[in-house]
Amino acid sequence: MPPSAIPRVRVGRILPPAAVRAEVESVLIGPDRLRRRVAQLGAELTSEYSGRELVVVALLNGTVVFLADLIRCLPLPLRLDFLNVASYGSSTHSGTLRMDRELRLDVHGRHVLVVDDILDTGRTLRAVTTRLQQLNPASLKTCVLLDKPERRMESIQADHVGFVIPDAFVVGYGLDFDERHRNLPFVGVLKNPPIRTEG
Ligand code: XMP
């Protein structure tokens, strides 16, 4: 899909369920819209990888909900592996990235698709793709549910993007704040976002 056709989401006024209203300000992307867009991404990827076997490398932990929905829209032979990318800094500081978990699968000569929840400064995806490229895959592409281009620090773009979102700290559908809110069935804007410094 050309970048201009990727759905752009604006912060609106749809209130979340009362149970989370103290912490979540608004619903940014509701469950139906997520379902429809993930199915579209699945169709895009299915046609791109038709006739090829895929290794999906998902970044823990924020991708788990998106990943579970996405791979069920991929009627392709695929294998799944995980990477855990953590920051040496605090939760509000990007710090230095380190990979806590090595791949189990050999990706040499294979078609690799990296799946992440959100592309923000771009440091995570840059570090992961640089590392994976060194393993000589046959091809390496990236797919993110959300793209927050306003905060980009690395010049990197994902090959497949679910939604372009504004610069707001989002939770739900796998994304967390302090490990909470991952279970929300929608993507919402956090009421008191962490103060983030980069570098
Ligand atoms: P970078 O900056 O490396 O960030 O592109 C990617 C990782 O940062 C986390 N992140 C967020 N997590 N709400 C979250 O819950 C957000 O708005 C947000 N922005 C960045 C996330 O772990 C992502 O993989």
Side-chain angles (χ1 to χ4, degrees):
M1 180 179 275
S4 58
I6 298 167
R8 278 164 196 276
V9 181
R10 279 199 231 119
V11 175
R13 291 176 186 278
I14 302 170
L15 286 178
V20 292
R21 222 168 274 170
E23 291 167 71
V24 180
E25 192 169 274
S26 61
V27 175
L28 191 65
I29 313 168
D32 289 342
R33 200 169 178 199
L34 284 166
R35 200 174 308 115
R36 284 198 302 273
R37 183 66 187 133
V38 172
Q40 283 173 355
L41 284 175
E44 247 173 73
L45 291 166
T46 301
S47 98
E48 180 166 337
Y49 287 100
S50 153
R52 289 190 278 169
E53 194 168 323
L54 190 58
V55 178
V56 172
V57 174
L59 307 193
L60 295 170
N61 295 332
T63 38
V64 290
V65 181
F66 171 45
L67 178 76
D69 286 345
L70 182 68
I71 60 173
R72 284 177 292 170
C73 297
L74 298 178
L76 296 167
L78 67 78
R79 290 194 251 186
L80 193 53
D81 208 343
F82 296 92
L83 277 178
N84 191 6
V85 185
S87 167
Y88 282 114
S90 70
S91 61
T92 58
H93 187 287
S94 296
T96 308
L97 293 172
R98 79 170 184 245
M99 286 183 213
D100 274 354
R101 195 181 184 286
E102 293 300 324
L103 288 179
R104 286 175 303 119
L105 299 177
D106 182 7
V107 298
H108 181 97
R110 307 222 169 249
H111 297 286
V112 175
L113 178 71
V114 177
V115 175
D116 200 6
D117 51 359
I118 182 165
L119 174 56
D120 188 4
T121 65
R123 298 179 58 189
T124 304
L125 216 52
R126 166 68 72 216
V128 168
T129 52
T130 301
R131 166 77 78 95
L132 291 176
Q133 205 71 68
Q134 290 162 355
L135 302 175
N136 295 315
S139 68
L140 179 62
K141 296 235 167 159
T142 53
C143 174
V144 296
L145 176 69
L146 306 173
D147 181 4
K148 216 194 272 187
E150 283 170 47
R151 281 178 32 91
R152 197 77 89 252
M153 292 172 73
E154 295 280 341
S155 104
I156 186 166
Q157 186 49 263
D159 298 293
H160 298 270
V161 174
F163 301 92
V164 176
I165 65 166
D167 181 12
F169 196 89
V170 291
V171 293
Y173 199 64
L175 290 119
D176 75 306
F177 174 58
D178 215 7
E179 292 305 322
R180 299 177 64 242
H181 305 305
R182 292 195 196 277
N183 55 320
L184 296 176
F186 58 86
V187 174
V189 176
L190 193 70
K191 208 167 227 173
N192 296 305
I195 298 157
R196 290 165 297 163
T197 54
E198 312 303 339

